[in-house]
Amino acid sequence: MKNKLLVWTILSIFVVIQIWCSFIMFKYPYIGIYLTLNQQNEWVIGELAEEEVNKRLEVRVGDVIKEVDGKDPNQVPTIYKWRVIEQAHKLVISRDGIAHEVTVESNSSINYDMIPLAEEGLCLFLAVLLFWKMRHSSSAQLLGVVFFTCAIIYLSRGASVRGDAVGKILITSFMTVLPIVFYHFLIVFFKEKGGVQLPSRILKYLYTLAVIGFGIRLMYFYPPMAYPIYQYNGSITLSFFIVGFVLNIGLLTYLYFKVRREKSYLASIVKSVWFSLFVSFLPVICFSFIPELITRSRVIDAVYTSWFILFFPMSFAYLIASNQLYDIGLVLRRFAFAVMLAIAPSAIFTGSYAFLFKGLVDAREIIFILFGSVFMLSTVMYSAEYFTTRLERFLFPRKYVLQTALKKIAKSLGAISSFRDLKEIVLVDIVKTLQVRGGAIVFQYENDTEIIDEGEIDTAEIKEMIRSSTWLNHPIYTCIEINRHEEYASYLVITSNKANTLLGKEEVQWLHLITSYLEVSLENVHLIRKLTAKMQLLAAQLPDEQSAQDIQWFRKIMFELQEEERLRIAADLHDTTMQDLFFLKRRFVSLLDKYAMNKEDKEHLNNIINFVEMINNSLRQSCFELNPFLLKEIGLIETVRTYLDKEAYHTPFEIEFKEEGASSIESKDLTTKRHIFRIIQELLNNAKKHSQASKVSFAMTVKDHRFCLTYEDDGVGFDSTQVPRMEIGASGMGVEQMRGRILHLNGKLECDSRQGAGVKFFITIPVREVMSV
């Protein structure tokens, strides 16, 4: 609560100061006439702040001031307080005994108005950004105070040069505070980032000294004491500012030489801080403050050199926000190289300008154009890399699209485990990005060719092209070899684009980059397929009951993977296809209700609705077979009964189901009941495919603590001494997969069948010792 009150108090004071200083700045023009007393005790112009004052007001050094806005000069506050003429509109001067009236025009000065306002706005923006975005960092908060201090200095400059006491108090007081706040920031920053404790006890004495100085400056409001304090205040303030800078630099230099040999993160921080502080304060001190202290004139006005002061806090705003160090040496080398490149064109431009406008421009304008051109070109070249990257989507839209697609494909390659993924993740994006008619990934084996295609592409022509090795210079297709080894070779084939032109050089290079990424993914897919085939072979050759215990872990993994895949497919069907069919049916029904149709059209639309409903029911049944959720809701026996009742409508034979005293199976876990349901599913599927029976019966019983499942049909049968083995890559579980489930449940499978005499399966599973997955 106290902190919020303090913040609101400071903001309120700042708003009042902003309004007052802006009022002074925009109401009164800057005049810049400095006075002295002559031997006759008359106020005489001793100095003009700018040469333009002489031309603009037609006054000269040595002119005697007779009146200011109709008042005696001794009654004008800015004259008896500061020895300057400001906040005036009319002057009466005497030159060679002749009186002249001078009118001051109300025009703003860019140097003393617009530039400080721009600097203030930048400082306030950065201060608010730091306080808002990084409120949990103490160093960021103090850096915001640094920006806020700079903002008040720039804010008060316009009022100060116009002779306002508030402006003069603010600018000198906060210039005194600025090096102290910088040092306070360094203490917190080094403790936060490097764990170094700088001397901090001196801070309270420095802040006390700044407060005392502020109290003394308040004497400006007491006219007899204003000028005696003012005539020394400027020199003392500048000296304190310079000494504060030198002490900060000296402390950092000592710290750097102390840790430089460590080649640590701290040494890098000290180096960056030292360089930033040096670049920030050296120009304003060497070209503005020191010359003013020694010669009472400036080489370069502080309005311009004060821009460099912002380099230090801005660089550290980046350092705190990113928590990274920039390489000072690299920055300097890059900027110096940019300057060297900019000198020649800038010199040519400036020389041409001077030649074309000979006699119309003076030396100062030529120098300004030269240095300004060098600076602007250097800055543009230095920042070209950053801005071209940021604006790539506008400057190089095609390159941006390709790069974005490349990142997306590269990110998705890790998820590829099958040819279906290869098509949906890679091939679709390639065709869409290049805007071509179609594309394909070709696998050429010793005796076969396999193609994954997308879009409009002739797969037969692609096979022939790959087989005849004519793809190198084909007029329509762009073909790139992905990889090649003993077992197979793979290719990426892309058609011409939709404008019937071949791909450009940039797009072909992009495809080569894609294929370098694809090479690893295709190898992984190939290895996955080989491993899957070997696992299927192993599943088809599982040992008998006596030796099966050693491979139970493998069965467990296989069954888990199968169930996970079934659940995934069922969820996909329910959430996508079935939902689409539901909304399609609703759309047709709404059309039927909304529009008047003749009998024939209405009947046709009803047939479509019924057909959609039939598809939906079929998919619902498929989802149930993939994920028999009723096992959990109504149990195994009722789920099997429901399943067989529904199947009876679609099978060419009669289905009979009997259950006698088998309810104890319902006490087993869900996984066990799912295994039994899958066995019944496989028995029924085999009957539909191979039995040619007229009647199929299932029976469930429990005897002697063993669950018994009996299957019987009157079909064609087979020789039970030669049970067929499942081929590699075949679909469905087959007899061996069903046998594997029974073995996994510690059960037994007996088969009785003869050619032409039907089939009988007797399955027994111990109720007490069922093993769950």
Side-chain angles (χ1 to χ4, degrees):
M1 185 66 183
K2 291 182 179 179
N3 290 335
K4 287 186 177 180
L5 181 60
L6 179 62
V7 170
W8 282 108
T9 303
I10 292 173
L11 288 177
S12 300
I13 295 173
F14 176 79
V15 170
V16 172
I17 293 172
Q18 177 75 65
I19 294 172
W20 175 256
C21 291
S22 300
F23 168 74
I24 296 295
M25 185 171 62
F26 290 109
K27 181 178 181 180
Y28 301 106
Y30 173 62
I31 300 174
I33 298 177
Y34 295 88
L35 306 178
T36 59
L37 284 170
N38 60 13
Q39 295 178 352
Q40 290 77 30
N41 212 27
E42 293 177 318
W43 293 104
V44 180
I45 298 177
E47 182 184 352
L48 298 175
E50 298 177 342
E51 293 184 8
E52 286 78 7
V53 176
N54 185 7
K55 299 177 181 178
R56 180 162 48 89
L57 300 181
E58 297 183 355
V59 296
R60 302 175 186 174
V61 175
D63 289 346
V64 178
I65 304 300
K66 294 296 186 180
E67 290 183 6
V68 176
D69 288 335
K71 298 179 182 179
D72 184 81
N74 291 307
Q75 297 177 354
V76 178
T78 60
I79 294 179
Y80 64 72
K81 282 185 177 182
W82 328 118
R83 307 296 194 262
V84 297
I85 297 179
E86 294 294 346
Q87 301 183 26
H89 297 287
K90 288 186 179 181
L91 308 177
V92 176
I93 63 171
S94 175
R95 185 186 304 156
D96 300 328
I98 302 174
H100 298 273
E101 187 175 295
V102 177
T103 302
V104 179
E105 298 177 357
S106 298
N107 59 333
S108 297
S109 170
I110 294 178
N111 292 353
Y112 295 98
D113 296 344
M114 299 299 112
I115 294 178
L117 281 177
E119 293 170 325
E120 179 204 349
L122 179 61
C123 289
L124 285 177
F125 171 76
L126 293 172
V128 171
L129 196 64
L130 286 169
F131 282 123
W132 182 39
K133 290 288 187 180
M134 289 175 280
R135 59 174 66 99
H136 300 297
S137 171
S138 299
S139 59
Q141 297 293 291
L142 269 172
L143 190 59
V145 175
V146 170
F147 278 116
F148 189 71
T149 304
C150 293
I152 293 179
I153 292 173
Y154 295 132
L155 159 68
S156 56
R157 181 177 176 80
S160 174
V161 297
R162 286 167 171 80
D164 180 66
V166 174
K168 290 185 179 296
I169 292 172
L170 288 175
I171 193 169
T172 52
S173 297
F174 279 90
M175 281 187 65
T176 304
V177 169
L178 186 59
I180 303 174
V181 177
F182 264 123
Y183 179 65
H184 195 172
F185 163 74
L186 292 178
I187 292 174
V188 176
F189 176 79
F190 277 112
K191 185 177 180 180
E192 185 179 287
K193 297 296 182 181
V196 177
Q197 183 65 55
L198 297 177
S200 58
R201 290 184 179 180
I202 194 175
L203 279 176
K204 60 182 179 180
Y205 300 108
L206 293 175
Y207 281 121
T208 301
L209 189 62
V211 172
I212 292 172
F214 177 76
I216 294 173
R217 292 184 186 95
L218 289 177
M219 297 298 290
Y220 283 170
F221 294 109
Y222 182 58
M225 294 296 297
Y227 185 70
I229 296 174
Y230 173 73
Q231 63 181 338
Y232 299 108
N233 182 48
S235 300
I236 293 173
T237 301
L238 294 180
S239 300
F240 189 88
F241 188 91
I242 295 170
V243 170
F245 164 75
V246 172
L247 289 177
N248 281 323
I249 284 289
L251 178 65
L252 289 174
T253 304
Y254 166 75
L255 192 59
Y256 174 70
F257 279 102
K258 184 178 178 181
V259 300
R260 63 172 180 167
R261 294 183 180 179
E262 298 178 6
K263 295 183 179 179
S264 61
Y265 178 68
L266 177 61
S268 301
I269 289 179
V270 174
K271 181 181 177 182
S272 299
V273 174
W274 187 93
F275 176 80
S276 300
L277 194 64
F278 197 80
V279 170
S280 292
F281 289 98
L282 190 66
V284 71
I285 289 175
C286 292
F287 298 108
S288 299
F289 293 167
I290 291 179
E292 184 172 350
L293 284 174
I294 297 174
T295 65
R296 307 298 298 176
S297 62
R298 301 171 180 175
V299 177
I300 303 176
D301 198 293
V303 170
Y304 306 109
T305 54
S306 60
W307 277 102
F308 287 93
I309 293 178
L310 298 179
F311 179 80
F312 178 87
M314 288 175 67
S315 62
F316 276 86
Y318 163 80
L319 179 59
I320 294 172
S322 64
N323 202 25
Q324 296 178 353
L325 284 174
Y326 45 80
D327 189 339
I328 293 295
L330 177 63
V331 171
L332 287 176
R333 287 194 297 272
R334 286 183 59 188
F335 194 78
F337 184 71
V339 170
M340 291 174 61
L341 291 177
I343 287 175
S346 299
I348 294 173
F349 173 77
T350 305
S352 302
Y353 181 83
F355 177 78
L356 292 173
F357 298 97
K358 184 186 293 184
L360 299 178
V361 293
D362 56 19
R364 287 198 309 173
E365 292 180 354
I366 294 175
I367 293 173
F368 175 79
I369 291 173
L370 175 63
F371 283 98
S373 301
V374 169
F375 176 77
M376 290 179 64
L377 279 176
S378 303
T379 304
V380 169
M381 286 189 287
Y382 179 80
S383 56
E385 180 181 2
Y386 173 82
F387 284 110
T388 50
T389 303
R390 290 290 183 180
L391 302 175
E392 186 179 31
R393 68 168 65 190
F394 306 108
L395 299 175
F396 312 104
R398 189 57 181 161
K399 181 180 178 182
Y400 176 78
V401 170
L402 294 178
Q403 291 294 336
T404 304
L406 179 62
K407 291 177 183 177
K408 180 184 176 183
I409 293 173
K411 187 177 180 181
S412 304
L413 284 177
I416 293 178
S417 59
S418 65
F419 282 177
R420 177 184 175 184
D421 295 336
L422 201 60
K423 176 180 177 178
E424 293 180 352
I425 294 176
V426 177
L427 202 55
V428 171
D429 281 342
I430 292 176
V431 171
K432 183 178 179 181
T433 301
L434 296 179
Q435 297 180 350
V436 294
R437 297 184 181 278
I441 297 176
V442 183
F443 295 86
Q444 186 179 25
Y445 304 97
E446 185 176 354
N447 298 318
D448 191 18
T449 301
E450 190 172 6
I451 297 179
I452 306 168
D453 63 286
E454 171 66 21
E456 302 173 12
I457 189 167
D458 190 341
T459 55
E461 184 180 3
I462 295 299
K463 285 185 178 180
E464 182 62 30
M465 180 183 70
I466 296 296
R467 192 179 300 113
S468 60
S469 300
T470 60
W471 53 270
L472 290 172
N473 298 307
H474 200 279
I476 298 177
Y477 298 108
T478 299
C479 187
I480 301 172
E481 183 177 280
I482 301 175
N483 56 10
R484 174 183 293 274
H485 48 69
E486 295 178 357
E487 298 184 12
Y488 75 97
S490 59
Y491 306 90
L492 176 64
V493 181
I494 301 296
T495 66
S496 58
N497 59 32
K498 294 180 180 179
N500 289 324
T501 58
L502 289 175
L503 302 179
K505 184 177 180 181
E506 184 180 24
E507 294 168 326
V508 173
Q509 290 176 346
W510 181 79
L511 280 177
H512 278 286
L513 192 57
I514 289 288
T515 55
S516 67
Y517 289 175
L518 273 177
E519 183 176 358
V520 178
S521 293
L522 291 183
E523 186 67 22
N524 291 339
V525 171
H526 178 67
L527 292 175
I528 290 171
R529 295 186 80 194
K530 286 180 64 177
L531 180 60
T532 303
K534 290 182 179 180
M535 291 178 70
Q536 290 176 339
L537 178 62
L538 181 59
Q541 297 175 345
L542 290 174
D544 57 17
E545 288 84 348
Q546 284 71 31
S547 58
Q549 295 300 322
D550 295 335
I551 202 153
Q552 290 283 34
W553 62 270
F554 177 74
R555 287 200 186 98
K556 181 176 183 294
I557 293 174
M558 288 292 295
F559 294 144
E560 283 180 345
L561 292 176
Q562 288 174 359
E563 290 301 326
E564 287 179 5
E565 186 66 13
R566 286 189 177 102
L567 290 174
R568 185 189 66 80
I569 295 172
D572 287 346
L573 286 174
H574 180 272
D575 295 339
T576 57
T577 308
M578 291 181 66
Q579 296 297 321
D580 293 341
L581 288 172
F582 174 74
F583 287 113
L584 181 63
K585 178 185 174 182
R586 285 187 59 182
R587 185 68 182 272
F588 282 140
V589 171
S590 66
L591 290 175
L592 194 62
D593 296 337
K594 186 175 181 181
Y595 297 102
M597 301 181 184
N598 56 45
K599 184 177 180 181
E600 183 179 351
D601 292 340
K602 196 172 184 179
E603 183 179 354
H604 183 62
L605 192 56
N606 276 319
N607 290 335
I608 294 176
I609 294 172
N610 293 333
F611 185 67
V612 171
E613 181 63 23
M614 184 177 65
I615 296 173
N616 207 18
N617 290 333
S618 177
L619 285 175
R620 190 178 292 110
Q621 178 65 17
S622 299
C623 288
F624 171 73
E625 292 177 10
L626 290 167
N627 180 22
F629 58 90
L630 290 178
L631 285 173
K632 189 175 181 180
E633 297 179 4
I634 62 176
L636 174 64
I637 296 172
E638 292 304 318
T639 300
V640 171
R641 194 188 307 277
T642 303
Y643 170 66
L644 294 178
D645 287 345
K646 288 184 178 180
E647 287 293 326
Y649 291 103
H650 309 291
T651 55
F653 44 76
E654 179 188 351
I655 299 177
E656 183 182 27
F657 175 66
K658 296 179 180 179
E659 177 269 325
E660 183 178 352
S663 58
S664 59
I665 193 65
E666 302 292 359
S667 63
K668 306 315 297 178
D669 58 90
L670 181 64
T671 304
T672 300
K673 290 186 279 188
R674 186 182 288 117
H675 278 302
I676 296 173
F677 182 79
R678 296 297 184 202
I679 292 170
I680 293 172
Q681 273 187 308
E682 185 59 35
L683 289 169
L684 185 60
N685 287 335
N686 286 335
K688 289 191 286 187
K689 292 177 182 178
H690 310 296
S691 70
Q692 301 178 25
S694 60
K695 183 177 181 179
V696 171
S697 62
F698 291 88
M700 288 184 184
T701 59
V702 173
K703 295 180 181 180
D704 300 328
H705 304 293
R706 299 185 72 85
F707 171 80
C708 302
L709 173 64
T710 305
Y711 166 87
E712 185 176 357
D713 68 48
D714 59 357
V716 295
F718 61 89
D719 187 353
S720 60
T721 62
Q722 298 180 352
V723 178
R725 296 282 180 176
M726 186 175 67
E727 298 295 329
I728 297 175
S731 61
M733 293 185 295
V735 175
E736 290 298 334
Q737 286 259 356
M738 184 175 64
R739 177 171 167 269
R741 287 188 185 274
I742 296 168
L743 292 176
H744 180 67
L745 298 173
N746 293 329
K748 291 183 180 181
L749 170 65
E750 297 178 10
C751 178
D752 181 15
S753 178
R754 292 187 304 275
Q755 291 285 351
V759 177
K760 290 183 180 180
F761 281 105
F762 302 96
I763 299 165
T764 58
I765 299 170
V767 176
R768 290 182 177 177
E769 300 178 357
V770 174
M771 177 181 175
S772 61
V773 178

